[in-house]
């Protein structure tokens, strides 16, 4: 059970953040995730906002050193490099169009990187960053924030152990109704850039929502390789075109399995969000993030079993990052905190040259970020060609 003790010998990573300021929809999640265990990261510097005064004011309200609240990321990297206690890792919590340039600059400054999803606009940008990260000996992580829930690792271990047989179907859903009203598209700072193709990239809900669930499917199935996708996308709020607010994706896998994904922000009235169901030749597993402490295990011909987080019958992988124990309900911040803890372990292992730990550690890394970019672009390519099958690789 994880009770906040440090997972490595060194002191917590001195950490900075770019973006994630007062008007951000994700900044608080990043800070809580990183600092829930103060043995992993400690926030030392920030370039929270394009408005320098608003950045400093926000930093003061977080009890930060005002001199380490910078007007932009370039100044932060340069000034922190001069300090003996300068930052060692940086979080990129900006709109999508800045991810590539900030990540590149951070690696060139010798920093580990944690970046919001989707990672970049193009796969080629990801491959360039991969080469740079290898050259600098640094880690790039991606905040697929839902993927730190314990029971997803239970799914992974059960599937790997053959508990459901051979995988035949993958059923994914991330659909809510909070995009039905277009008011926020022109009035909310955290939403306006999401419907601007120049700032968000090729997709709206395909990038903002479906990349989360796609990564979760990669996490739990581990060895399943996607072969082809077919996507049909819609802009039901017409002003969002060419960006989509609803999309259906069909998938074909190399082993013959098939899948589907529904992502939407115009599923009117629906408060629920993600469901992931993996069907095998013997049984199925299903998890929903509205009930993250429960995993349904359905064996053909037997009563449905509900596995509960925190119980001794779960796999070691599901219990390694258990925080609260059974009877105490978890939420999204536990998931973010588990991810940030894994990120810190990865950074420490990289700094020590411990490749064995890195090989065995499961977390959303640069390769998964590149795959997320590929997923968005291949879905858009399929839809733009008239909803046809396209090769994933």
């Amino acid at each position: 059970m994880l009770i906040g003790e440090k997972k490595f010998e060194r002191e917590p990573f001195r950490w900075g953040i770019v973006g994630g300021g007062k008007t951000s929809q994700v900044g608080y999640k990043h800070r809580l995730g990183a600092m829930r265990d103060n043995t992993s990261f400690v926030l030392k510097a920030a370039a929270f906002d394009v408005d320098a005064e608003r950045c400093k004011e926000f930093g003061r309200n977080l009890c930060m050193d005002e001199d380490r609240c910078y007007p932009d990321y370039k100044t932060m990297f340069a000034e922190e490099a001069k300090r003996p206690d300068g930052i060692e890792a940086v979080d990129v919590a900006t709109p999508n169009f800045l991810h590539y340039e900030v990540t590149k600059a951070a690696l060139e400054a010798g920093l580990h990187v944690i970046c919001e999803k989707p990672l970049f606009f193009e796969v080629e940008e990801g491959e360039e960053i991969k080469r740079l990260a290898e050259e600098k000996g640094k880690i790039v992580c991606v905040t697929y924030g839902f993927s730190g829930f314990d029971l997803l690792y239970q799914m992974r271990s059960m599937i790997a152990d053959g508990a459901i047989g051979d995988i035949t179907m993958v059923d994914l859903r991330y659909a809510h109704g909070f995009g039905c009203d277009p008011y926020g598209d022109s009035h909310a700072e955290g939403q306006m850039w999401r419907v601007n193709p120049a700032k968000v990239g090729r997709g709206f809900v395909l990038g903002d929502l479906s990349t989360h669930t796609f990564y979760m499917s990669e996490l739990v199935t581990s060895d399943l390789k996607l072969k082809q996708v077919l996507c049909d996308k819609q802009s039901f709020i017409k002003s969002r075109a060419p960006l989509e607010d609803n999309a259906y994706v069909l998938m074909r896998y190399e082993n013959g399995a098939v899948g589907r994904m529904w992502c939407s922000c115009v599923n009117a009235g629906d408060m629920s969000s993600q469901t992931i169901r993996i069907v095998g030749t013997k049984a199925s597993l299903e998890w929903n993030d509205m009930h993250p402490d429960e995993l349904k295990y359905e064996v053909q011909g037997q009563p449905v079993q509900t596995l509960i987080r925190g119980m001794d019958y779960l796999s070691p992988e599901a219990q390694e990052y258990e925080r609260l124990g059974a009877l105490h309900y978890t939420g999204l911040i536990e998931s973010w905190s588990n991810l940030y803890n894994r990120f810190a372990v990865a950074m420490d292992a990289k700094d020590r040259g411990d490749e064995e730990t890195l090989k065995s550690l499961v977390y959303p890394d640069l390769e998964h970020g590149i795959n997320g970019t590929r997923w968005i672009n291949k879905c858009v390519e399929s839809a733009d060609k008239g909803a046809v099958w396209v090769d994933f690789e």
Side-chain angles (χ1 to χ4, degrees):
M1 186 171 178
L2 184 65
I3 55 174
E5 295 176 302
K6 62 183 181 179
K7 302 274 284 186
F8 42 80
E9 291 303 314
R10 55 154 292 157
E11 293 299 307
F13 281 89
R14 298 185 299 275
W15 171 64
I17 188 168
V18 181
K22 196 164 188 174
T23 62
S24 170
Q25 293 181 354
V26 298
Y28 193 44
K29 300 184 186 78
H30 284 271
R31 298 198 314 277
L32 282 180
M35 298 188 293
R36 192 79 169 258
D37 301 318
N38 61 5
T39 53
S40 296
F41 294 96
V42 57
L43 183 60
K44 291 294 187 180
F48 285 121
D49 204 301
V50 292
D51 184 319
E53 285 306 312
R54 192 161 62 176
C55 172
K56 286 198 172 188
E57 178 189 7
F58 190 58
R60 285 195 296 269
N61 289 337
L62 296 181
C63 300
M64 293 181 64
D65 181 349
E66 186 176 319
D67 290 338
R68 298 180 78 172
C69 293
Y70 299 98
D72 56 71
Y73 73 86
K74 293 179 181 177
T75 303
M76 180 169 75
F77 295 166
E79 292 302 313
E80 288 293 308
K82 299 174 183 177
R83 300 179 61 107
D85 62 344
I87 58 173
E88 303 163 284
V90 68
D91 209 311
V92 184
T94 66
N96 301 356
F97 74 102
L98 290 170
H99 291 180
Y100 167 74
E101 68 174 73
V102 181
T103 298
K104 183 177 180 180
L107 288 172
E108 289 173 340
L111 303 172
H112 295 290
V113 180
I114 301 165
C115 187
E116 259 294 334
K117 53 76 210 160
L119 198 52
F120 307 125
F121 284 0
E122 304 297 337
V123 170
E124 292 76 14
E125 293 175 332
E127 296 294 346
E128 180 186 348
I129 292 298
K130 180 181 176 180
R131 290 190 292 270
L132 181 58
E134 290 172 351
E135 174 191 325
K136 297 293 185 178
K138 297 300 176 182
I139 292 289
V140 178
C141 315
V142 189
T143 50
Y144 293 124
F146 296 89
S147 64
F149 280 111
D150 299 339
L151 288 181
L152 292 175
Y153 294 85
Q154 177 70 18
M155 291 183 76
R156 178 186 174 92
S157 63
M158 290 177 71
I159 292 169
D161 289 343
I164 67 171
D166 296 328
I167 297 172
T168 57
M169 289 171 277
V170 176
D171 197 13
L172 309 173
R173 175 187 185 274
Y174 193 165
H176 61 70
F178 285 90
C180 286
D181 184 356
Y183 178 83
D185 292 4
S186 57
H187 290 80
E189 284 192 49
Q191 174 72 358
M192 287 188 286
W193 65 264
R194 285 181 165 85
V195 292
N196 181 345
K199 294 186 175 182
V200 76
R202 298 191 192 183
F204 174 22
V205 294
L206 283 168
D208 203 38
L209 303 182
S210 80
T211 49
H212 278 294
T213 323
F214 175 63
Y215 169 68
M216 285 162 49
S217 73
E218 291 185 301
L219 168 66
V220 302
T221 60
S222 65
D223 293 330
L224 200 62
K225 302 300 180 185
L226 188 56
K227 182 179 179 181
Q228 292 179 307
V229 297
L230 182 154
C231 178
D232 188 21
K233 65 186 182 75
Q234 297 78 37
S235 308
F236 287 115
I237 304 298
K238 301 303 181 185
S239 59
R240 292 174 179 156
L243 297 175
E244 78 294 332
D245 47 27
N246 190 83
Y248 296 96
V249 185
L250 297 180
M251 296 169 278
R252 290 173 175 165
Y253 293 89
E254 290 183 358
N255 74 333
V258 296
R260 64 180 180 178
M261 162 88 78
W262 175 30
C263 65
S264 180
C265 68
V266 289
N267 183 24
D270 194 347
M271 294 290 292
S272 65
S273 48
Q274 290 183 95
T275 300
I276 176 168
R277 181 178 178 85
I278 310 297
V279 181
T281 52
K282 299 190 300 185
S284 302
L285 288 164
E286 183 172 316
W287 180 85
N288 182 283
D289 70 0
M290 295 292 284
H291 305 280
D293 293 350
E294 300 177 0
L295 174 63
K296 290 184 179 179
Y297 179 37
E298 302 172 357
V299 180
Q300 179 59 34
Q302 298 182 20
V304 175
Q305 300 178 51
T306 301
L307 308 183
I308 304 298
R309 177 201 54 77
M311 297 299 291
D312 290 341
Y313 54 69
L314 299 178
S315 68
E317 294 87 348
Q319 298 200 54
E320 181 182 1
Y321 280 78
E322 169 58 41
R323 291 173 175 272
L324 303 177
L327 299 180
H328 300 93
Y329 296 106
T330 62
L332 182 59
I333 296 306
E334 275 75 35
S335 177
W336 278 77
S337 301
N338 287 345
L339 281 185
Y340 268 90
N341 199 300
R342 291 172 186 266
F343 294 163
V345 170
M347 292 173 187
D348 173 65
K350 190 68 174 179
D351 287 349
R352 293 185 292 104
D354 182 357
E355 293 299 323
E356 288 303 312
T357 293
L358 287 172
K359 286 178 184 177
S360 62
L361 188 63
V362 180
Y363 69 99
D365 61 12
L366 181 53
E367 288 289 352
H368 294 113
I370 293 172
N371 244 14
T373 298
R374 182 179 288 110
W375 162 265
I376 299 166
N377 292 349
K378 289 296 183 178
C379 288
V380 172
E381 177 187 341
S382 169
D384 288 349
K385 288 181 177 178
V388 300
W389 287 103
V390 298
D391 292 340
F392 188 67
E393 295 292 339

